[in-house]
Amino acid sequence: MALPSYAGPLETTWYYTFRFICAVIFIFLITPILIIIPLSFNVEPYFTFTAGMLSFDPDAYSLRWYEDFINNTQWTHSVKNSFIIAIASTILATFLGTLAALGLSKPHMPYRALTMGLLISPMIVPLIISAAGMYFFYSSIGLDQTFLGIILAHTVLGTPFVVITVTATLVGFDNSLSRAAANLGANPTTSFFKITMPLILPGVISGALFAFITSFDEVVVVLFLAGFEQRTIPRQMWSGIREQISPTILAVATILVMISIALLATLEMLRRRNEKLRGMTPG
Amino acid sequence: MAEDTTASGVVLAADGLPLKVSLNRAMRKSRMRAIFLVAPLLIFVLFSFLIPIFDMTMRSVDNWHVGELMPETTAALEHWDGKALPEEPVFAALVKDLKAGAVSREIGKVATRLNYEKSGLRSMITSSSRKSKKIEGGPYKPQVLKMHKKWKELETWTVIKRNTSPYTIGYYLNAVDMKYDNKTGDIVMQPESRQIYGMLFMRTFAISLAITLICVVLAYPISYLLATLPTRYSNLLMIFVLLPFWTSLLVRTTAWIAMLQSQGVLNDLFVFFGFVDDANRLQLIHNLTGTIIAMTHILLPFMVLPLYSVMKTIPPSYMRAALSLGANPVVAFVRVYMPQTLAGIGAGSILVFILSIGYYITPALVGGTDGTLISNQIAYHMQSSLNWGLAGALGALLLFSVLALYLIYNKIVGIDNMRLG
């Protein structure tokens, strides 16, 4: 959308005004996320820049909030919990979701739209309602305040993403490939692992990433279902914000931003790979 | 295969069966395989999600307390006409139930339940239950009437009689600011000062609408820019949208607290540039402003992504054609470009609206009192007031509005076309 050489003064003004407006919106989107990174190195327990930080005085910066994070057993405990819960529920959700997506993509699946709707519903129902419903149900069968309860709850919340991404990959899947494999003597299992799986793998992995981040970032269900022993990172941040607001939260937040950058990079890589496999140039 | 025809003209498959039968059999096998693959997840979702949700919404009409914990009174009241205080048998049954309730310590549940319908009944039931232990023999009516003055009121008995039925719409009435008039039994509006939920629903819808509109206004220009820039620049700028999208909700909320609080970055900047006086820094957080700013930031990517994918498919030549045919740029944009993006605006708006009316975390952390939404009230009744019936009723109303909106979304976009990331 470069400015054409014949543009008049009005068009030139509009061109730069438009770019300026866009820049402001992009700044609105990114600033809050970037601003916490320098703030987390603040030597003072404030949530804003001190005079020393603005004049780049090395004494105004420190790693004390990171040290606090590492030495605080509540935080380290919550990191461990978050990973246990997120990894377990991701594995479950990916397995169940991929199977279901394979079934949904079969041409003879009956009641396809209805089934899809039911499977997607955990993504649509507001979290507070899911959490309330699960709270009553899981406490009635003694699964509240247990890891198993939270893992199952997070699995349910994660499966819609796996179902959606894998189904989307299967739309572009050429069924004659597996027919060719069968024709050449492969049994269904071999043809699934040798032909189907490698092709839908990008969809499976990005679904798994969505399931992981859903569990890793989830706090409403945890608020209702978890006891003190099952506190996760978001749960710890929640009480950090509500009770004793300390810049340790900013240090944790910075680490989480780094994790999301890594996730974003992985997804982008997968997208390019997927497009290459389908014979498109990465765009 | 198909050459094998019998005298009757039926086409046979290789195994000698009619082709139709063979085909049906193959179809059935394929169908069974599909069902077999979907079944594990479907059963899992059914038991750990759908049934719990259904169970929770059932709590909003469930009214077992009086019927189960005061069975004698319930039976005795069955033929009471409600015109005057009940007779001796009802009081005898009542004393029996109160005594049993005092022993089992369950009577408090009835007391709490009846108190939702008429305040003051909690203490009436609990104190009478305590006193009932001393009652040894009849006649019961005068002794009960002496225990608490509310037993002499006809209203008390109307309320008890109404709640002997195992289901109630009382919680729903409460959730829409209505109630039974305990004297006449009619359904009336709550007194003005106690009408809170109607206003809260209105506020939730208004805030969600405002956030949706702001998101459209902010998302439109940047989506346009992203869709029209050469790929190598737009991929780079896309990071500005995707990074917030992938960043933890709690992180973004924390970031906005750091930005907006009165000693925060934004206020410091304003003071530095002299926009505001150091003494009266702006109150940007723990109120409606904070909720709207933080939620707009959190939901903006959900508007940009569908808009971008729609704009990406619009050929730039349409605009050029309009311009070369003599339309001025504004007319060309409004009459040619914008109509083609309406589907994207619709999809993004419904998505953002659905997400924001059910939002809980951000309003709870930055909303203060006037920036909280219906979800926060549901959480309050779940965790603090423990009025689960009302929480269920509010939740069911919210759920139905979300499902209705989702059906519209499905009509416009189709769940298969939902884009992630």
Side-chain angles (χ1 to χ4, degrees), chain B residues 339-357:
Chain B
Q340 299 181 77
T341 61
L342 282 181
I345 296 179
S349 301
I350 294 177
L351 193 60
V352 169
F353 193 80
I354 288 179
L355 288 169
S356 59
I357 61 171

PDB file of all heavy atoms in Angstrom, chain B residues 339-357:
ATOM      1  N   PRO B 339     -18.751  -2.918   2.389  1.00  0.00           N
ATOM      2  CA  PRO B 339     -19.753  -3.994   2.347  1.00  0.00           C
ATOM      3  C   PRO B 339     -19.118  -5.384   2.303  1.00  0.00           C
ATOM      4  O   PRO B 339     -19.671  -6.341   2.830  1.00  0.00           O
ATOM      5  CB  PRO B 339     -20.525  -3.714   1.056  1.00  0.00           C
ATOM      6  CG  PRO B 339     -20.351  -2.265   0.831  1.00  0.00           C
ATOM      7  CD  PRO B 339     -18.984  -1.931   1.331  1.00  0.00           C
ATOM      8  N   GLN B 340     -17.934  -5.480   1.697  1.00  0.00           N
ATOM      9  CA  GLN B 340     -17.296  -6.786   1.599  1.00  0.00           C
ATOM     10  C   GLN B 340     -16.710  -7.241   2.928  1.00  0.00           C
ATOM     11  O   GLN B 340     -16.392  -8.414   3.101  1.00  0.00           O
ATOM     12  CB  GLN B 340     -16.184  -6.741   0.552  1.00  0.00           C
ATOM     13  CG  GLN B 340     -16.706  -6.394  -0.817  1.00  0.00           C
ATOM     14  CD  GLN B 340     -15.587  -6.384  -1.818  1.00  0.00           C
ATOM     15  OE1 GLN B 340     -15.125  -7.433  -2.255  1.00  0.00           O
ATOM     16  NE2 GLN B 340     -15.118  -5.204  -2.184  1.00  0.00           N
ATOM     17  N   THR B 341     -16.524  -6.300   3.876  1.00  0.00           N
ATOM     18  CA  THR B 341     -15.932  -6.685   5.154  1.00  0.00           C
ATOM     19  C   THR B 341     -16.990  -6.927   6.226  1.00  0.00           C
ATOM     20  O   THR B 341     -16.659  -7.271   7.350  1.00  0.00           O
ATOM     21  CB  THR B 341     -14.988  -5.583   5.666  1.00  0.00           C
ATOM     22  OG1 THR B 341     -15.743  -4.389   5.849  1.00  0.00           O
ATOM     23  CG2 THR B 341     -13.860  -5.336   4.710  1.00  0.00           C
ATOM     24  N   LEU B 342     -18.291  -6.732   5.862  1.00  0.00           N
ATOM     25  CA  LEU B 342     -19.343  -6.859   6.874  1.00  0.00           C
ATOM     26  C   LEU B 342     -19.350  -8.224   7.553  1.00  0.00           C
ATOM     27  O   LEU B 342     -19.544  -8.323   8.759  1.00  0.00           O
ATOM     28  CB  LEU B 342     -20.713  -6.584   6.244  1.00  0.00           C
ATOM     29  CG  LEU B 342     -21.030  -5.102   6.032  1.00  0.00           C
ATOM     30  CD1 LEU B 342     -22.404  -4.939   5.433  1.00  0.00           C
ATOM     31  CD2 LEU B 342     -20.932  -4.337   7.338  1.00  0.00           C
ATOM     32  N   ALA B 343     -19.081  -9.293   6.771  1.00  0.00           N
ATOM     33  CA  ALA B 343     -19.074 -10.638   7.363  1.00  0.00           C
ATOM     34  C   ALA B 343     -18.008 -10.730   8.450  1.00  0.00           C
ATOM     35  O   ALA B 343     -18.245 -11.281   9.528  1.00  0.00           O
ATOM     36  CB  ALA B 343     -18.827 -11.684   6.286  1.00  0.00           C
ATOM     37  N   GLY B 344     -16.852 -10.152   8.177  1.00  0.00           N
ATOM     38  CA  GLY B 344     -15.768 -10.165   9.161  1.00  0.00           C
ATOM     39  C   GLY B 344     -16.133  -9.376  10.399  1.00  0.00           C
ATOM     40  O   GLY B 344     -15.881  -9.801  11.528  1.00  0.00           O
ATOM     41  N   ILE B 345     -16.753  -8.192  10.188  1.00  0.00           N
ATOM     42  CA  ILE B 345     -17.170  -7.380  11.335  1.00  0.00           C
ATOM     43  C   ILE B 345     -18.175  -8.161  12.168  1.00  0.00           C
ATOM     44  O   ILE B 345     -18.085  -8.212  13.398  1.00  0.00           O
ATOM     45  CB  ILE B 345     -17.791  -6.044  10.870  1.00  0.00           C
ATOM     46  CG1 ILE B 345     -16.752  -5.195  10.142  1.00  0.00           C
ATOM     47  CG2 ILE B 345     -18.348  -5.272  12.061  1.00  0.00           C
ATOM     48  CD1 ILE B 345     -17.280  -3.878   9.629  1.00  0.00           C
ATOM     49  N   GLY B 346     -19.133  -8.818  11.484  1.00  0.00           N
ATOM     50  CA  GLY B 346     -20.152  -9.578  12.205  1.00  0.00           C
ATOM     51  C   GLY B 346     -19.541 -10.700  13.019  1.00  0.00           C
ATOM     52  O   GLY B 346     -19.805 -10.837  14.210  1.00  0.00           O
ATOM     53  N   ALA B 347     -18.654 -11.477  12.377  1.00  0.00           N
ATOM     54  CA  ALA B 347     -18.048 -12.610  13.074  1.00  0.00           C
ATOM     55  C   ALA B 347     -17.241 -12.143  14.277  1.00  0.00           C
ATOM     56  O   ALA B 347     -17.408 -12.647  15.391  1.00  0.00           O
ATOM     57  CB  ALA B 347     -17.151 -13.380  12.111  1.00  0.00           C
ATOM     58  N   GLY B 348     -16.401 -11.148  14.051  1.00  0.00           N
ATOM     59  CA  GLY B 348     -15.567 -10.645  15.143  1.00  0.00           C
ATOM     60  C   GLY B 348     -16.397 -10.074  16.270  1.00  0.00           C
ATOM     61  O   GLY B 348     -16.139 -10.329  17.446  1.00  0.00           O
ATOM     62  N   SER B 349     -17.454  -9.313  15.911  1.00  0.00           N
ATOM     63  CA  SER B 349     -18.266  -8.666  16.943  1.00  0.00           C
ATOM     64  C   SER B 349     -18.957  -9.694  17.818  1.00  0.00           C
ATOM     65  O   SER B 349     -18.950  -9.567  19.050  1.00  0.00           O
ATOM     66  CB  SER B 349     -19.339  -7.780  16.320  1.00  0.00           C
ATOM     67  OG  SER B 349     -18.741  -6.811  15.523  1.00  0.00           O
ATOM     68  N   ILE B 350     -19.548 -10.711  17.190  1.00  0.00           N
ATOM     69  CA  ILE B 350     -20.258 -11.694  18.012  1.00  0.00           C
ATOM     70  C   ILE B 350     -19.278 -12.435  18.901  1.00  0.00           C
ATOM     71  O   ILE B 350     -19.535 -12.657  20.082  1.00  0.00           O
ATOM     72  CB  ILE B 350     -21.072 -12.659  17.127  1.00  0.00           C
ATOM     73  CG1 ILE B 350     -22.183 -11.872  16.448  1.00  0.00           C
ATOM     74  CG2 ILE B 350     -21.667 -13.772  17.945  1.00  0.00           C
ATOM     75  CD1 ILE B 350     -23.010 -12.685  15.511  1.00  0.00           C
ATOM     76  N   LEU B 351     -18.113 -12.764  18.346  1.00  0.00           N
ATOM     77  CA  LEU B 351     -17.099 -13.459  19.137  1.00  0.00           C
ATOM     78  C   LEU B 351     -16.699 -12.610  20.351  1.00  0.00           C
ATOM     79  O   LEU B 351     -16.694 -13.085  21.492  1.00  0.00           O
ATOM     80  CB  LEU B 351     -15.886 -13.743  18.258  1.00  0.00           C
ATOM     81  CG  LEU B 351     -14.866 -14.722  18.798  1.00  0.00           C
ATOM     82  CD1 LEU B 351     -15.526 -16.063  19.043  1.00  0.00           C
ATOM     83  CD2 LEU B 351     -13.712 -14.879  17.827  1.00  0.00           C
ATOM     84  N   VAL B 352     -16.385 -11.343  20.116  1.00  0.00           N
ATOM     85  CA  VAL B 352     -15.959 -10.467  21.217  1.00  0.00           C
ATOM     86  C   VAL B 352     -17.098 -10.286  22.218  1.00  0.00           C
ATOM     87  O   VAL B 352     -16.895 -10.333  23.434  1.00  0.00           O
ATOM     88  CB  VAL B 352     -15.496  -9.102  20.660  1.00  0.00           C
ATOM     89  CG1 VAL B 352     -15.314  -8.090  21.777  1.00  0.00           C
ATOM     90  CG2 VAL B 352     -14.200  -9.268  19.897  1.00  0.00           C
ATOM     91  N   PHE B 353     -18.319 -10.126  21.697  1.00  0.00           N
ATOM     92  CA  PHE B 353     -19.463  -9.919  22.588  1.00  0.00           C
ATOM     93  C   PHE B 353     -19.701 -11.148  23.465  1.00  0.00           C
ATOM     94  O   PHE B 353     -19.879 -11.019  24.679  1.00  0.00           O
ATOM     95  CB  PHE B 353     -20.709  -9.595  21.756  1.00  0.00           C
ATOM     96  CG  PHE B 353     -21.846  -9.059  22.569  1.00  0.00           C
ATOM     97  CD1 PHE B 353     -21.868  -7.730  22.944  1.00  0.00           C
ATOM     98  CD2 PHE B 353     -22.873  -9.890  22.974  1.00  0.00           C
ATOM     99  CE1 PHE B 353     -22.910  -7.230  23.712  1.00  0.00           C
ATOM    100  CE2 PHE B 353     -23.913  -9.402  23.744  1.00  0.00           C
ATOM    101  CZ  PHE B 353     -23.928  -8.064  24.105  1.00  0.00           C
ATOM    102  N   ILE B 354     -19.666 -12.337  22.853  1.00  0.00           N
ATOM    103  CA  ILE B 354     -19.859 -13.573  23.622  1.00  0.00           C
ATOM    104  C   ILE B 354     -18.800 -13.676  24.712  1.00  0.00           C
ATOM    105  O   ILE B 354     -19.095 -13.975  25.865  1.00  0.00           O
ATOM    106  CB  ILE B 354     -19.760 -14.821  22.713  1.00  0.00           C
ATOM    107  CG1 ILE B 354     -20.971 -14.945  21.808  1.00  0.00           C
ATOM    108  CG2 ILE B 354     -19.610 -16.088  23.540  1.00  0.00           C
ATOM    109  CD1 ILE B 354     -20.927 -16.139  20.881  1.00  0.00           C
ATOM    110  N   LEU B 355     -17.540 -13.416  24.331  1.00  0.00           N
ATOM    111  CA  LEU B 355     -16.466 -13.556  25.309  1.00  0.00           C
ATOM    112  C   LEU B 355     -16.613 -12.531  26.427  1.00  0.00           C
ATOM    113  O   LEU B 355     -16.371 -12.842  27.586  1.00  0.00           O
ATOM    114  CB  LEU B 355     -15.101 -13.386  24.632  1.00  0.00           C
ATOM    115  CG  LEU B 355     -14.689 -14.547  23.735  1.00  0.00           C
ATOM    116  CD1 LEU B 355     -13.480 -14.168  22.907  1.00  0.00           C
ATOM    117  CD2 LEU B 355     -14.375 -15.772  24.592  1.00  0.00           C
ATOM    118  N   SER B 356     -17.043 -11.320  26.086  1.00  0.00           N
ATOM    119  CA  SER B 356     -17.048 -10.298  27.141  1.00  0.00           C
ATOM    120  C   SER B 356     -18.247 -10.417  28.074  1.00  0.00           C
ATOM    121  O   SER B 356     -18.104 -10.106  29.250  1.00  0.00           O
ATOM    122  CB  SER B 356     -16.932  -8.895  26.556  1.00  0.00           C
ATOM    123  OG  SER B 356     -17.983  -8.649  25.683  1.00  0.00           O
ATOM    124  N   ILE B 357     -19.409 -10.910  27.618  1.00  0.00           N
ATOM    125  CA  ILE B 357     -20.500 -10.981  28.599  1.00  0.00           C
ATOM    126  C   ILE B 357     -20.257 -12.071  29.631  1.00  0.00           C
ATOM    127  O   ILE B 357     -20.829 -12.041  30.708  1.00  0.00           O
ATOM    128  CB  ILE B 357     -21.926 -11.146  28.005  1.00  0.00           C
ATOM    129  CG1 ILE B 357     -22.074 -12.411  27.209  1.00  0.00           C
ATOM    130  CG2 ILE B 357     -22.369  -9.963  27.228  1.00  0.00           C
ATOM    131  CD1 ILE B 357     -23.549 -12.639  26.838  1.00  0.00           C
TER     132      ILE B 357
END
